[in-house]
Amino acid sequence: MTPDVLTIADTTFQSRLFTGTGKFSSGEEMYHALLASGTELVTVALKRVNPNEKEDIIFWLQKGNFHLLPNTSGARHAKEAVLAAHLAREALGTNWLKLEIHPDPKYLLPDPIETVAAAEQLVKDGFVVLPYVHADPVLCKRLEDVGCAAVMPLGAPIGTNKGLKTSDFLEIIIEQSKVPVIVDAGLGAPSHAAAALEMGASAVLVNTAMAVAGDPVAMAGAFKKACEAGREAYQAKLAPIRKQAEASSPLLSFLDSL
Amino acid sequence: MSEISSLIDSLNWNAVEQSILNKTESDVLHALDSSKPTLEDFKALLSPAAIPHLSKIAMLSQQLTLQRFGRVMQMYVPLYLSNECQNICTYCGFSMDNKLKRKTLTDEEILQEAHIIKAMGYEHVLLVTGEANHTVGVSYLLNAVKLLQPFFSQISIEVQPLEENEYKLLVDAGVHAVLVYQETYHREVYKTYHPKGKKSNFDYRLATPDRAGEAGVYKIGLGTLIGLENWRVEAFYTAVHLQYLEKRYWKTKYSISFPRWRPHAGTYAAENCISNKEFVQLISAYRIFDQEVELSLSTRESPNFRDNVFALGFTSMSAGSKTNPGGYANKEESLEQFEISDERSAAEIAEMLKSKGYEPVWKDWSTCYH
């Protein structure tokens, strides 16, 4: 049996749980939570990288030997995102990029028009681009067409912990996509992550639900298990949901004996 | 008359005050249960009827803040560039009629301050001046921003109200946020506190956030000086202003500050004080009403109070602040706008935050976002 790994661009991952780095009470707590989650890919905002700080966010991420996925959080349009991407590549030594452009600082919803424009440019510039987008199937196909290595549609507005509010659209995206689909944003409980993977998502990205949990390290462990269970359930092929009851003693068997 | 002036004038101060006083316990409970609190819910949360439910209100505020912003606190520090001012504001230490030595920092002095602030760990700095167009006008500010750019990731300003094209120049030069406080939304009361100077024009000041919003400023800070009028009514008017701005300038972030009047070189004594309990009510009400707005806690508040209140809704804090131009390089404590109350250093505040399970965030911006 071939091992179940996720491949994005030229990199394989055992874990289908990607994580963020915000909102933790300290770098050290973040480090322990990320270790407990079993994550191999961690996104970090370029704007939080602070070379003047002794134990900044990068110190802890390097200690854990995680793959870094720099993101462009803070960019309001394509031009800023492209500039931030280049700075991130230089500062962090990776050409991987989570492209996020949210001109709306209130709900941090991604701008589809600017995202496509920036993605096209960044792919040309040699980046492995993973764009954060609304759960819009057509947009995801457009991003695939311009060369994105994966798409990251949201489950619910970021930070809300509301779960898979966009599930009907995520199902279409998963059905149509040729690149990995990573459900990002809004996953508030391990059960939400499990549901996304059961549905066939390639991976999930979780941050707030771990960082602001009563015990972030324990919650990270719970997400790890949920992702494993969700993926196994997907592979085992879920029993179909039936609209009608199926009587265990057939209702019309008397007809045969007539 | 501008749209915001018409909106503010469409409200009746006394009617708003009465409506807040008339809110009942059931209005308060309704506000606490609402998933999208309205301005009426906000009134209930601000009302005296909410006081018996304060611990529930504060707990909800803390929980919402944690959910949205996490266990972190953004750190910033003011850098006073000048105390020259052409206004008479009867409550302010910089008021033109106060016999105070006036000073505007030279390039060399600005750089001296920058080195010290940088060594304190700061990446976010707030430039403050009085309102003196001939000395600290746009060209002075542009020069200061240019000098400070290599030191800091985020530069904000709290200076005289400017024109839209001037804000555009400053944004292009790298200014992140514009803080401009209305002081009071009560038109007549405003007149009595601001008898002279450009600031005496209530409407020009009121439309300043619009000009900043049109210019594409990233963040606009609002606030009133607590002590000038009834704080409950001021908060309601601020919220009306905030909602108005959020709809129009949807790419801009907003923050609210809560300056409480502090002793200074003038003679004014505040009449409309707010108790610590009411202060907690005020910030909690804001957080429940608007879960995304940033709330800022300054060194005007006492150490013990800051240690206990910061986690109830605030998202940014200053520490180790000096409120006089050149104050970081020169120990001599004079020329200041107001006396700070929490004199602990930035490092001490960082330790306090860590001991309470919060991470101080020094840098959360990149100069590439300009």
Side-chain angles (χ1 to χ4, degrees), chain A residues 106, chain B residues 241-252 254:
Chain A
K106 189 162 180 168
Chain B
H241 198 176
L242 175 66
Q243 271 201 337
Y244 161 93
L245 292 167
E246 280 187 339
K247 280 190 186 147
R248 271 158 194 80
Y249 313 106
W250 62 276
K251 293 183 182 177
T252 297
Y254 296 90

Side-chain angles (χ1 to χ4, degrees), chain B residues 15-24 43 47-49 230 232:
Chain B
V16 169
E17 186 167 11
Q18 202 49 51
S19 150
I20 293 172
L21 292 175
N22 288 344
K23 291 290 175 191
T24 63
K43 278 186 190 167
S47 73
N230 182 323
R232 294 185 159 99

